[in-house]
Amino acid sequence: MPGITIGDTVPNLEVQTTHGKFKLHDYFNNGWTIIFSHPADFTPVCTTELGKMAAYLPEFEKRGVKLLGFSCDDVQSHKEWIKDVEAYTPGCKVTYPIVADPSREIIKQLNMVDPNEKDSSGNQLPSRALHIVGSDNKIKLSFLYPATTGRNMDEVLRAMDSVLTVSKYKVATPANWKQGDPVVISPQVSNEEAKQVFPQGFETKNLPSGKEYLRFTNV
Ligand code: BEZ
């Protein structure tokens, strides 16, 4: 069975975390949440990633976004590991919860398993999966990185800004877009509708096809 992906509702699983036991939808609380997994505690790339996520937490909080980490070890191991994470990234505090999943049941249901990585006992490990979950508990965006490639938190923040922007307006964000740059008007919006919806105006690029589909505006 294919795993959950964009458009799917995150199952309301009960999870054990460094902040106690809760159900995922209670944690989301009808807000935006980034859920992200790491292969294992006390591993090098994961240690750098957890610290960077903590360092970026104020930026996510400014946008009303919560974080929830996942790693397959147990809660006690996570708590010990956090000390290393905080020591490696000075000034960072891992104040977001980390889910424990020694049985791998949670990561399987959240489509966060790495098919290529196994621990020394042959158990599957989580991939570097990341789902941005909307206020309706549905996945809006997913990243999937192998264990050997650490993520760029600037890109996570940029992607977050994009999905928040497109949730508010009938627009999309072009290549290399960042917060404050012009956005493109969705192809489903006619020029007549665009004049109503974007009173600030929009610019249509002249293209060899003569088709008027590349329209920029500011929101
Ligand atoms: C790491 O976090 O460095 C890592 C974890 C599992 C496999 C490879 C690298």
Side-chain angles (χ1 to χ4, degrees), residues 39-40 43-47 117 125 128 147-148:
T43 53
V45 178
C46 300
T47 300
E117 292 290 343
L125 288 172
R128 297 191 195 287
T148 41

Side-chain angles (χ1 to χ4, degrees), residues 18-169:
T18 48
H19 292 201
K21 189 160 68 167
F22 52 72
K23 292 191 97 175
L24 290 179
H25 292 191
D26 292 338
Y27 183 72
F28 301 161
N29 194 23
N30 301 119
W32 289 78
T33 310
I34 298 177
I35 64 176
F36 56 102
S37 60
H38 304 271
D41 297 359
F42 302 103
T43 53
V45 178
C46 300
T47 300
T48 64
E49 281 199 329
L50 238 75
K52 271 284 180 271
M53 276 307 241
Y56 277 62
L57 185 60
E59 286 300 321
F60 291 115
E61 285 176 341
K62 259 192 236 165
R63 291 154 173 84
V65 175
K66 287 194 211 168
L67 301 181
L68 180 61
F70 291 74
S71 182
C72 61
D73 299 293
D74 61 27
V75 167
Q76 193 47 41
S77 165
H78 290 351
K79 286 184 174 169
E80 286 299 314
W81 180 36
I82 285 170
K83 295 178 200 160
D84 285 0
V85 171
E86 292 180 346
Y88 173 72
T89 307
C92 89
K93 282 271 163 242
V94 179
T95 55
Y96 52 83
I98 305 173
V99 173
D101 188 22
S103 70
R104 279 60 166 171
E105 281 312 312
I106 308 287
I107 58 161
K108 278 184 203 153
Q109 293 200 55
L110 298 180
N111 197 13
M112 290 172 149
V113 176
D114 189 325
N116 293 326
E117 292 290 343
K118 302 233 173 13
D119 68 13
S120 51
S121 317
N123 295 319
Q124 283 183 301
L125 288 172
S127 54
R128 297 191 195 287
L130 181 152
H131 302 305
I132 295 183
V133 184
S135 52
D136 55 1
N137 300 326
K138 290 194 163 111
I139 297 178
K140 306 298 174 189
L141 180 147
S142 289
F143 288 164
L144 185 58
Y145 282 44
T148 41
T149 303
R151 287 161 284 196
N152 182 328
M153 304 318 164
D154 284 329
E155 174 57 10
V156 176
L157 192 58
R158 192 196 74 87
M160 189 70 237
D161 282 334
S162 171
V163 292
L164 285 172
T165 301
V166 306
S167 74
K168 294 184 198 128
Y169 308 98

